[in-house]
């Protein structure tokens, strides 16, 4: 059996390692167009902001380890350019040479790329996206060599917010540009307001609610065109969201789904025989709600890769889906979310209501006790927990995992109140913020 895998990061390497673990007799050939495999893109903002000293620290598995210890036939600098599902081959380019590679099973794990709205970044010095390790290197080198004094980050989602903190850490006067008054739609307005306040407190300039229509050369730097105005910065990061790398699949006639991601079933199978997809290039189902989504998150990529690998090796393992559970740090503020937003729940006809509770994250008298905001989205009639968002001290918001577990188990907010959660003053008030939110919700019955 010859297994071909395209893409060597979270999904591709998880699958390759799994196939070789379960079926050492299978040939696993992995084509990666870049020079790295198995790297933590999630760590890039912290490398740029110098919280992580070396880019090498972000690499989980070195190429030699993949080849020698895991038995993967790893080909770096190889780009897959076409798939022929009927002939079961992949065409691959390497240093100007093209080869046609046969497969019995194929996994597409090509990830996602930063959206750039068609802007040719090459024509502007100092304009970057933050997608992979080579971007991280370019940004760090530019900051070290050109010594910019000002930066603008365009896009108020997770990556944009993390980048703002990184640039401030480099001592740059930083502006966050976002086209709406509220930040990314994945944050409820209450959370967006808390984040905006934190940014302002930390000296970040906000340029909100103005349409971004492109870049121009302006003075010694880059002009960001916002309607009638132009904002100048020495360095610009485009953090406009990501789109799946699904072109290869689409050109081969493989079906696409949410946001153009490759449509897969729970076994990671596409609609073409013998072809699987996993990670940021592939779709997923929202657990318990059944809606198809594109969720470009690391745990999902690793799990889908693992499950694709198991199934390629002959098992029959299903992926349970995602809840879009995510957490981020903006300076000393932690923000987390899981499940549906209020608007999503309303659009799905689930008649949601929002409960917002402000509390402390530890006993009031214990050193370091800090304010925390819990927002829970609950079905008005069935009382089911549909979504939750938290903001507070960085460590405190991992409580989101309790809500993710509650949603997965289709729990009502009243059942959440029944949970026996741990208490001691250094960790929480007697009524943990999760229980307190449930207690407030009970009063609304
Ligand atoms: C700055 C940043 C911060 C992030 N932070 C978080 C976080 O805190 N939490 C979280 O959950 N997620 C985070 N993510 C998302 C997370 O990194 C991704 O979900 C994860 O890396 C997806 O893994 P993947 O293997 O599907 O795709 P990728 O990591 O995109 O890897 C795909 C690989 O395929 C290769 N490739 C593509 N096309 C071809 C081709 N034609 N031929 C050969 N090779 C090809 C690429 O070079 C790449 O190495 C972050 C992402 C970024 C960019």
């Amino acid at each position: 059996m010859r297994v071909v895998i395209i893409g060597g990061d979270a999904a591709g390497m998880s699958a390759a390692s799994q196939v070789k673990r379960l079926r050492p007799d299978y040939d696993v050939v992995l084509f990666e167009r870049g020079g790295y495999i198995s790297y933590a893109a999630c760590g890039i903002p912290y490398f740029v902001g110098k919280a992580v000293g070396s880019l090498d620290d972000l690499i989980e598995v070195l190429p030699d380890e993949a080849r020698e210890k895991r038995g993967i036939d790893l080909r770096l600098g190889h780009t897959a350019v076409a798939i022929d599902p009927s002939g079961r081959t992949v065409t691959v380019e390497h240093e100007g040479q093209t080869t046609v590679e046969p497969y019995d099973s194929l996994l597409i794990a090509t990830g996602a790329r930063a959206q750039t709205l068609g802007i040719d970044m090459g024509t502007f010095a100092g304009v970057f996206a933050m997608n992979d390790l080579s971007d991280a290197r370019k940004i760090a080198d530019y900051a070290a060599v050109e010594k910019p004094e000002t930066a603008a980050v365009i896009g108020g989602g997770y990556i944009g917010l993390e980048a703002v903190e990184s640039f401030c850490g480099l001592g740059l006067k930083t502006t966050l540009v976002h086209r709406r008054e509220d930040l990314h739609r994945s944050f409820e307005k209450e959370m967006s307001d808390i984040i905006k306040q934190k940014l302002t407190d930390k000296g970040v300039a906000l340029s909100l609610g103005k349409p971004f229509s492109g870049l121009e050369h302006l003075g010694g730097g880059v002009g960001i065109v916002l309607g009638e105005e132009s904002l100048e910065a020495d360095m610009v990061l485009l953090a406009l969201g990501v789109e799946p790398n699904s072109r290869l699949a689409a050109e081969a006639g493989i079906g696409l789904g949410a946001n153009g991601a490759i449509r897969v079933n729970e076994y990671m199978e596409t609609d073409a025989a013998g072809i699987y997809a996993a990670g940021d290039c592939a779709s997923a189902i929202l657990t318990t709600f059944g809606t198809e989504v594109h969720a470009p998150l690391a745990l999902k990529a690793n799990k889908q890769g693992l499950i694709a690998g198991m199934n390629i090796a002959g098992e029959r393992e299903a992926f349970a889906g995602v809840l879009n559970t995510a957490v981020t740090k903006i300076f000393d503020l932690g923000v987390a979310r899981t499940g549906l937003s209020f608007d999503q729940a309303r659009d799905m006809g689930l008649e949601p209501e929002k409960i917002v509770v402000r509390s402390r994250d530890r006993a009031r008298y214990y050193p370091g006790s800090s304010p925390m905001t819990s927002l829970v989205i609950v079905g008005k009639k069935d009382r089911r927990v549909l979504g939750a968002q938290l903001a507070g001290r960085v460590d405190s918001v991992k409580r989101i995992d309790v809500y993710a577990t509650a949603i997965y188990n289709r729990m009502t907010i009243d059942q959440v109140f029944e949970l026996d959660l741990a208490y001691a003053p250094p960790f929480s008030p007697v009524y943990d913020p999760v229980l307190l939110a449930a207690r407030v919700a009970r009063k609304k019955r």
Side-chain angles (χ1 to χ4, degrees):
M1 280 289 279
R2 190 173 201 254
V3 178
V4 167
I5 296 177
I6 309 172
D9 193 22
M13 272 298 291
S14 296
S17 306
Q18 195 59 21
V19 175
K20 284 303 284 184
R21 196 177 73 77
L22 295 171
R23 296 302 303 255
D25 54 316
Y26 281 17
D27 288 332
V28 175
V29 188
L30 192 154
F31 296 107
E32 165 54 53
R33 67 181 172 192
Y36 304 96
I37 52 161
S38 206
Y39 48 87
C42 314
I44 292 174
Y46 308 105
F47 167 74
V48 169
K50 295 194 173 164
V52 173
S54 159
L55 212 50
D56 292 346
D57 291 343
L58 302 186
I59 297 170
E60 300 289 338
V61 183
L62 292 169
D64 283 350
E65 189 187 337
R67 293 189 183 107
E68 285 153 26
K69 292 205 181 133
R70 303 195 185 192
I72 299 164
D73 180 355
L74 172 65
R75 318 264 184 100
L76 294 177
H78 285 67
T79 305
V81 293
I83 299 168
D84 174 5
S86 54
R88 291 206 174 211
T89 61
V90 178
T91 304
V92 177
E93 275 179 12
H94 174 61
E95 294 178 349
Q97 305 283 339
T98 299
T99 53
V100 176
E101 303 282 344
Y103 65 80
D104 295 299
S105 295
L106 171 68
L107 172 68
I108 308 172
T110 46
R113 63 185 177 282
Q115 282 181 4
T116 55
L117 300 182
I119 294 167
D120 182 359
M121 291 198 288
T123 61
F124 295 94
V127 176
F128 303 96
M130 205 185 252
N131 200 48
D132 59 25
L133 294 195
S134 63
D135 295 329
R137 170 64 63 210
K138 283 186 220 159
I139 297 169
D141 287 351
Y142 186 84
V145 174
E146 301 297 332
K147 306 208 179 329
E149 291 176 5
T150 57
V153 174
I154 308 176
Y158 286 89
I159 292 179
L161 292 167
E162 289 173 5
V164 164
E165 184 183 346
S166 306
F167 291 157
C168 289
L170 296 178
L172 304 181
K173 177 89 192 95
T174 305
T175 304
L176 176 69
V177 177
H178 189 69
R179 67 195 155 99
R180 303 190 315 140
E181 286 294 337
D182 295 325
L183 299 177
H184 192 269
R185 284 178 204 285
S186 59
F187 303 115
E188 295 294 320
K189 180 175 172 29
E190 293 81 350
M191 297 292 139
S192 171
D193 288 346
I194 294 170
I195 298 168
K196 287 191 314 195
Q197 187 60 55
K198 176 58 68 181
L199 293 170
T200 306
D201 292 349
K202 293 289 178 183
V204 176
L206 300 180
S207 171
L208 305 173
K210 295 172 199 153
F212 166 61
S213 54
L215 300 177
E216 61 183 7
H217 295 279
L218 194 73
V222 182
I224 299 153
V225 185
L226 302 167
E228 302 294 298
E229 302 167 26
S230 229
L231 175 80
E232 191 180 342
D234 299 334
M235 186 167 162
V236 173
L237 183 84
L238 300 178
L240 302 161
V242 297
E243 50 195 331
N245 285 326
S246 53
R247 188 182 52 79
L248 267 183
E251 287 174 359
I254 296 168
L256 304 185
N259 195 31
I262 303 168
R263 177 166 285 151
V264 288
N265 64 14
E266 66 267 48
Y267 305 108
M268 304 295 105
E269 293 162 334
T270 69
D271 59 9
I275 303 183
Y276 298 73
D280 281 7
C281 65
S283 70
I285 294 297
L286 265 187
T287 312
T288 75
F289 300 108
T291 319
E292 186 189 60
V293 290
H294 176 226
L297 290 167
L299 176 64
K300 176 229 178 218
N302 280 276
K303 273 196 200 168
Q304 282 192 328
L306 175 88
I307 288 170
M310 292 172 83
N311 292 334
I312 290 169
E315 304 202 352
R316 199 73 179 148
E317 187 79 17
F319 178 57
V322 292
L323 282 172
N324 279 326
T325 309
V327 62
T328 194
K329 168 182 165 323
I330 304 141
F331 299 99
D332 52 354
L333 176 72
V335 181
R337 68 156 333 273
T338 188
L340 304 180
S341 67
F342 183 88
D343 288 353
Q344 266 179 315
R346 186 200 50 215
D347 295 348
M348 289 164 72
L350 298 173
E351 295 188 46
E353 66 177 335
K354 221 185 238 190
I355 293 137
V356 181
V357 176
R358 293 187 172 82
S359 65
R360 311 292 300 178
D361 64 342
R362 295 169 169 167
R364 178 192 41 77
Y365 52 83
Y366 191 83
S369 170
S370 306
M372 179 166 178
T373 302
S374 306
L375 183 155
V376 192
I377 296 156
V378 176
K380 245 186 236 165
K381 289 198 182 126
D382 63 6
R383 317 267 305 149
R384 208 189 137 188
V385 181
L386 304 171
Q389 306 207 348
L390 303 176
R393 191 173 49 86
V394 170
D395 295 348
S396 68
V397 298
K398 264 294 259 175
R399 286 178 170 94
I400 201 70
D401 294 339
V402 177
Y403 287 107
T405 310
I407 299 171
Y408 176 85
N409 284 303
R410 297 179 160 82
M411 287 169 71
T412 65
I413 192 72
D414 309 303
Q415 288 171 319
V416 170
F417 180 74
E418 289 170 5
L419 295 174
D420 182 21
L421 302 185
Y423 158 67
F427 300 94
S428 75
V430 178
Y431 275 96
D432 186 274
V434 172
L435 296 177
L436 191 64
R439 194 173 133 178
V440 170
R442 275 160 64 93
K443 289 194 193 139
K444 291 192 162 196
R445 278 191 296 191

